[in-house]
């Protein structure tokens, strides 16, 4: 709603925006009329919300384990530590985690308008050589080994349902080194290069350029997270199995702003696209495959330019669902045949939430809703582990990694 009309107002903001305190809005328009409005708009139950941004990993872990904070975030490699260190051993289990699938697509794009990656067989070779199963394992939490991510066949997400997501039942991407070598051989003959495989075999046009002596680059956004670094390293190791050598580079967002044409966009880009609202056509399919969305200001980092797709994009987002579903059978096949992206695992959004915090409701476009949560526990103050750890039932403390816990964005940087 308009500024000042919501269930909370800002009480204070610290220097550097490291801490923001919200308090219950005494003038919220719903006050006194909560039974007449949708549940999502109900007034605040917890009088004060304290949000701490940019805390160190150690602080986020320790604050949750000693009950200083009620909601926090840590990486998958720290799940075992935060759960085993939880102050109430009877609650020290996976139920502390609230995990949610996210709409969107993470990928390594292949520039369809530049040399080598312009060749379809060259792109298929990379698509087949990437070890997708290993890429998923980097998201394994170390508590029960469950990956905090899932594999999908982009650009759409399975949450949209079978009519939109992969209606032709194409297989999820899977490493196939034999197929990769076959396609790389064809690409070499077509583009006049050869590659020396790890076993010494030369494939392609042996009278052409030795592509094994060339180093390609996967470009991501700085600063790279630990997960992104692991992800890129696994990709580089995968491509080495077909004799192609890579390095990783990370650039600032200001440098990404120069990606306004195919020639200024790197051959291989490690990025992703998250929709602003749940529209499979207008918010995921078109941004990642429409030629007008190429580069910086869209999601089409591969600079796909397919005439048939452009024809469908001119009307597909403006027709009824029945027509969309019928046309998606055709569109899905054309999209699949582009092989313009290697689809990386989509990470879950997850939070550690204290057991006495109830009605934690998450929305992929708005984060979680402070006004819906309330605090309660069973037992008296003399025997409750929650009470003995100095819980203030008038305040909710959050340790957040990202502002407002909102993950929806135009382009994932």
């Amino acid at each position: 709603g308009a500024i000042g009309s919501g269930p909370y107002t800002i009480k204070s903001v610290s220097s550097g925006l490291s801490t923001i305190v919200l308090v219950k809005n005494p003038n919220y328009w719903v006050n006194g009329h909560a039974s007449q409005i949708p549940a999502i708009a109900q007034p605040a139950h917890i009088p004060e919300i304290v949000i701490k941004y940019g805390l160190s990993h150690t602080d986020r872990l320790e604050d949750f384990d000693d009950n200083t904070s009620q909601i926090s975030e840590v990486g998958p490699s720290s799940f075992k530590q935060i759960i085993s260190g939880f102050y109430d051993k009877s609650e020290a289990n996976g139920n502390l985690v609230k995990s949610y699938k996210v709409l969107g697509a993470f990928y390594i794009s292949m520039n369809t308008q530049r040399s080598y990656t312009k060749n379809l067989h060259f792109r298929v070779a990379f698509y087949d050589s990437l070890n997708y199963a290993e890429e998923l394992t980097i998201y394994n939490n170390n508590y029960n080994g469950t990956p905090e991510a899932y594999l999908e066949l982009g650009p759409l997400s399975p949450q949209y349902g079978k009519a939109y997501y992969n209606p032709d039942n194409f297989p999820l991407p899977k490493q196939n080194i034999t197929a990769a070598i076959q396609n790389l051989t064809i690409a070499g003959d077509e583009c006049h290069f050869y590659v020396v495989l790890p076993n010494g075999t030369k494939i392609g046009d042996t009278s052409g350029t030795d592509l094994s002596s060339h180093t390609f680059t996967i470009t991501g956004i700085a600063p790279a997270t630990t997960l992104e670094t692991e992800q890129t390293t696994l990709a580089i190791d995968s491509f080495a199995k077909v004799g192609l050598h890579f390095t990783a580079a990370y650039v600032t967002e200001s440098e990404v702003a120069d990606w306004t044409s195919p020639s200024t966009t790197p051959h291989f880009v490690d990025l992703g696209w998250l929709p602003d609202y749940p529209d499979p056509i207008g918010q995921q399919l078109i941004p990642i495959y429409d030629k007008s969305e190429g580069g910086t200001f869209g999601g089409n980092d591969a600079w796909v330019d397919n005439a048939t797709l452009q024809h469908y994009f001119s009307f597909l987002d403006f027709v009824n669902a029945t027509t969309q579903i019928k046309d998606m059978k055709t569109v899905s096949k054309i999209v699949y045949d582009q092989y313009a992206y290697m689809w990386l695992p989509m990470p879950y959004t997850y939070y550690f939430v204290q057991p006495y915090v109830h009605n934690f409701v998450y929305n992929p476009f708005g984060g979680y809703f402070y006004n819906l949560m309330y605090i309660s526990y069973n037992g008296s103050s003399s025997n409750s582990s929650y009470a003995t750890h100095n819980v203030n039932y008038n305040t909710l403390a959050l340790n957040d990694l990202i502002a407002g816990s909102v993950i929806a964005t135009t382009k994932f940087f």
Side-chain angles (χ1 to χ4, degrees):
I3 294 174
S5 68
Y8 284 96
T9 61
I10 295 175
K11 177 182 178 181
S12 64
V13 179
S14 70
S15 175
L17 307 179
S18 60
T19 302
I20 297 176
V21 179
L22 308 177
V23 292
K24 184 175 181 178
N25 185 355
N27 301 312
Y28 183 35
W29 64 276
V30 167
N31 291 346
H33 307 282
S35 63
Q36 303 170 30
I37 53 93
I40 202 70
Q42 64 185 268
H45 299 288
I46 300 171
E48 185 176 84
I49 304 285
V50 179
I51 312 164
K52 296 182 179 180
Y53 297 109
L55 290 181
S56 69
H57 163 79
T58 300
D59 286 342
R60 281 181 277 116
L61 193 152
E62 292 180 353
D63 283 359
F64 186 81
D65 274 351
D66 68 14
N67 206 18
T68 299
S69 67
Q70 282 70 59
I71 301 175
S72 193
E73 302 172 69
V74 298
S77 62
S78 298
F79 272 38
K80 184 175 182 179
Q81 186 179 5
I82 195 170
I83 292 173
S84 63
F86 192 61
Y87 63 87
D88 183 355
K89 299 307 177 186
S90 69
E91 298 279 3
N93 55 56
N95 292 331
L96 293 171
V97 185
K98 307 293 185 185
S99 188
Y100 307 91
K101 276 190 174 182
V102 176
L103 293 168
F106 280 14
Y107 52 69
I108 297 175
S109 64
M110 293 176 280
N111 194 323
T112 62
Q113 305 301 315
R114 294 191 65 176
S115 60
Y116 297 123
T117 47
K118 186 175 184 177
N119 181 274
L120 175 62
H121 292 287
F122 192 71
R123 299 198 302 271
V124 176
F126 280 99
Y127 187 94
D128 286 336
S129 63
L130 185 62
N131 193 328
Y132 301 91
E134 279 195 4
E135 291 285 353
L136 186 60
T137 64
I138 69 173
Y139 293 97
N140 287 354
N141 72 61
N142 63 358
Y143 172 68
N144 60 12
T146 302
E148 298 300 322
Y150 65 97
L151 289 174
E152 68 177 11
L153 186 70
L156 301 187
S157 301
Q159 294 93 311
Y160 290 120
K162 195 64 181 175
Y164 289 94
Y165 173 73
N166 194 13
D168 291 303
N169 292 310
F170 294 124
L172 283 174
K174 183 179 180 180
Q175 186 181 51
N176 186 335
I177 296 299
T178 299
I181 292 173
Q182 290 172 346
N183 278 283
L184 195 57
T185 301
I186 297 172
D189 289 335
E190 293 175 342
C191 300
H192 307 295
F193 68 78
Y194 69 92
V195 172
V196 182
L197 299 178
N199 65 5
T201 302
K202 293 181 180 181
I203 59 172
D205 180 0
T206 55
S207 63
T209 302
D210 179 6
L211 212 57
S212 300
S213 63
H214 178 78
T215 299
F216 292 96
T217 301
I218 301 176
T219 304
I221 307 300
T225 65
T226 301
L227 287 173
E228 185 178 8
T229 301
E230 292 179 23
Q231 175 180 281
T232 306
T233 299
L234 284 176
I236 292 173
D237 291 344
S238 293
F239 304 148
K241 293 183 182 300
V242 293
L244 294 170
H245 305 292
F246 275 76
T247 188
Y250 300 96
V251 300
T252 64
E253 291 185 31
S254 61
E255 291 177 84
V256 176
D258 293 330
W259 296 354
T260 56
S261 68
S263 62
T264 58
T265 303
H267 284 83
F268 300 88
V269 172
D270 179 15
L271 254 179
W273 178 269
L274 302 178
D276 290 321
Y277 51 88
D279 174 3
I281 306 297
Q283 280 290 301
Q284 286 191 228
L285 176 60
I286 289 177
I288 300 179
Y289 278 89
D290 191 312
K291 67 178 181 180
S292 68
E293 301 289 340
T296 302
F297 303 110
N300 187 1
D301 292 301
W303 288 93
V304 177
D305 183 0
N306 179 276
T308 306
L309 286 180
Q310 291 304 132
H311 165 70
Y312 280 100
F313 292 164
S314 68
F315 64 84
L316 193 58
D317 200 33
F318 308 103
V319 296
N320 60 46
T322 301
T323 302
Q324 283 185 341
I325 291 169
K326 177 179 69 68
D327 288 341
M328 278 302 295
K329 290 281 289 184
T330 301
V331 170
S332 176
K333 178 68 166 63
I334 298 170
V335 166
Y336 184 83
D337 288 342
Q338 300 303 302
Y339 288 95
Y341 299 90
M342 292 171 274
W343 304 112
L344 298 173
M346 274 301 298
Y348 293 133
T349 289
Y350 55 85
Y351 304 93
F352 279 83
V353 181
Q354 296 282 357
Y356 54 82
V357 176
H358 304 284
N359 212 30
F360 183 91
V361 177
Y362 175 79
N363 178 281
F365 303 100
Y368 52 86
F369 297 90
Y370 303 137
N371 62 312
L372 299 185
M373 292 185 286
Y374 63 92
I375 291 175
S376 70
Y377 66 92
N378 296 320
S380 67
S381 60
S382 61
N383 64 20
S384 170
S385 61
Y386 304 134
T388 57
H389 281 76
N390 301 316
V391 174
N392 180 351
Y393 291 97
N394 292 316
T395 301
L396 185 72
L398 316 172
N399 289 347
D400 273 353
L401 290 175
I402 48 179
S405 297
V406 177
I407 57 87
T409 183
T410 304
K411 190 165 189 173
F412 179 76
F413 289 137

